[in-house]
Structure formats: structure tokens, C-alpha cells
Amino acid sequence: MKDKRTVDMRVMSDWVKPGSRVLDLGCGRGVLLEYLKAKLGIQAVGVDLDPEKARSCVKRGLSVFMGDLMEFMQSFPDKHFDYVICSRTLQELNKPATVIKEALRVSDHMLVGFVNFGYWRNRCSMFLNGRIIRNEVYPTPWSVSRPSNPVSVLQFEHFCRKNQIAVNRELCLGGDWTSERRRMRNLTSGYALFDLSIK
């Protein structure tokens, strides 16, 4: 479970340049931003709808906007940020395509991390049991879960090609969220990370 909590820290700290201006969409309690700020000296700002999580960010010494992320991004000029991060938030967004395009307007790079719904264990659960798998990634039944629109690696790559979004780096990890998968990634990857920019 530790690897699944820290995978974004490990990867994104390698992808983000020191001293960069970084916006985290759906920043939660600010754990990732706090880590990147301490390690890389980034200029960090987060945005989240949850008041409790926003307060947690403030306690960590982070700048945070509590409100709608689209409204927040629209207040900035083109390429104001070096990076916009969307870590495990993509599947919960309203109109994710619009959010991605706006993030790429206000930044040079968008770093996206998401659970791959095309992973073989998820497929087997649907095929054999007729329901979404229950584990540490999907811990709650549908009746008490937040709205979600699961996405697979294949779907996301298709979206990027269709919208002329450049994939600068892509890292697909197995079900342990540690070992890299290079073949049959849509089937064998539990988690995927992308570094995007406009072509």
C-alpha cells in the first residue's frame, strides 16, 4: 500500500524541474505538493473543493484555492504555470477534456496519473462477478462512492491522439504500482502516468 501512496511523489519529483511553478488540481490534503515543495523548491498552489482538505493544505504552509478548478484556471494567462498536476483526479472530473485543454493553456506541461480501468484484474472481476473489483483502490461500494468515470490507458492514449496532445513521457506500472510495463500496457498496467503538452 505504501508504494501506491508514494508513486506520484517518486515519479513526478523526477519529471518536475526544481523551482517550477506548479498547480495541483484536486490537491487533497496537499501531501504531494508539500513533498515537491520540500524536495524541489517549487512555487506551489493547489485547488480543491473540500474545505477540510483545503485547511489541511494551509496547515502544511501551502497556498490553496477552495472552489471550482476551471474557474480558478481561467483567471490565469496562457502558460502561467510550468506544470499542472492532475493526480488521481481525472476520473472524477466533470468534462475532463475541457479541464485538460484548459490546463494545457495555462501550463507548459500537464502531469496526469490515474488508475487504469483496463487492468486485467478489473476486467476479470467484471467478467466473472459482474461488478467492479473491491480493493484498496476501489474500497467502497458504488452506493457510497463519489461520481466516477473510469478511464483506461488505451482510451487516454486515443484521446491524446485525437486532440493533438503530445505525450512527452508515459509510464505504465503493474498492479504493484512499482514495476514498469512496456508490453500490453492496457491489460497489464494498474496505474499510468503521462506528461502532456500541446503539439
Side-chain angles (χ1 to χ4, degrees):
M1 183 64 176
K2 182 180 178 181
D3 288 328
K4 294 184 179 182
R5 287 198 302 264
T6 62
V7 60
D8 293 311
M9 294 181 186
R10 290 187 287 107
V11 176
M12 293 185 184
S13 62
D14 286 337
W15 289 4
V16 172
K17 293 181 180 179
S20 299
R21 290 175 295 182
V22 179
L23 169 64
D24 189 353
L25 304 178
C27 61
R29 300 184 183 281
V31 176
L32 175 60
L33 272 185
E34 181 184 41
Y35 177 82
L36 294 176
K37 185 176 181 181
K39 184 173 182 180
L40 303 175
I42 65 168
Q43 300 174 48
V45 61
V47 56
D48 205 286
L49 284 170
D50 189 315
E52 183 179 338
K53 291 177 179 177
R55 284 193 292 271
S56 179
C57 288
V58 173
K59 289 179 182 178
R60 295 176 189 275
L62 299 170
S63 299
V64 61
F65 173 78
M66 192 185 72
D68 181 75
L69 53 87
M70 278 296 294
E71 179 183 332
F72 186 65
M73 285 193 290
Q74 287 168 356
S75 66
F76 291 97
D78 293 357
K79 307 305 178 187
H80 181 80
F81 296 98
D82 298 303
Y83 301 90
V84 169
I85 291 175
C86 188
S87 169
R88 309 184 207 184
T89 307
L90 189 68
Q91 72 279 3
E92 296 175 10
L93 296 174
N94 291 321
K95 300 181 179 179
T98 304
V99 173
I100 291 171
K101 290 174 183 177
E102 182 65 10
L104 290 172
R105 181 191 68 81
V106 299
S107 70
D108 292 316
H109 294 267
M110 184 180 191
L111 306 183
V112 179
F114 60 88
V115 173
N116 174 32
F117 199 66
Y119 182 48
W120 70 269
R121 290 185 183 275
N122 299 331
R123 298 189 193 196
C124 286
S125 181
M126 288 297 295
F127 180 74
L128 297 174
N129 304 314
R131 60 179 173 81
I132 293 175
I133 195 170
R134 290 282 298 279
N135 54 25
E136 66 270 18
V137 177
Y138 302 106
T140 57
W142 70 269
S143 55
V144 295
S145 299
R146 292 177 294 185
S148 180
N149 183 22
V151 62
S152 71
V153 168
L154 191 65
Q155 286 174 305
F156 193 75
E157 290 173 334
H158 175 73
F159 166 81
C160 291
R161 288 194 300 270
K162 182 179 178 182
N163 290 275
Q164 297 185 322
I165 295 172
V167 176
N168 304 304
R169 284 175 288 194
E170 177 180 354
L171 179 62
C172 293
L173 303 172
D176 58 2
W177 292 25
T178 302
S179 53
E180 185 174 357
R181 295 291 184 264
R182 296 181 181 273
R183 296 182 179 180
M184 301 179 69
R185 295 170 301 172
N186 194 53
L187 183 66
T188 63
S189 303
Y191 193 70
L193 299 107
F194 288 79
D195 172 5
L196 309 178
S197 65
I198 295 295
K199 289 183 178 179

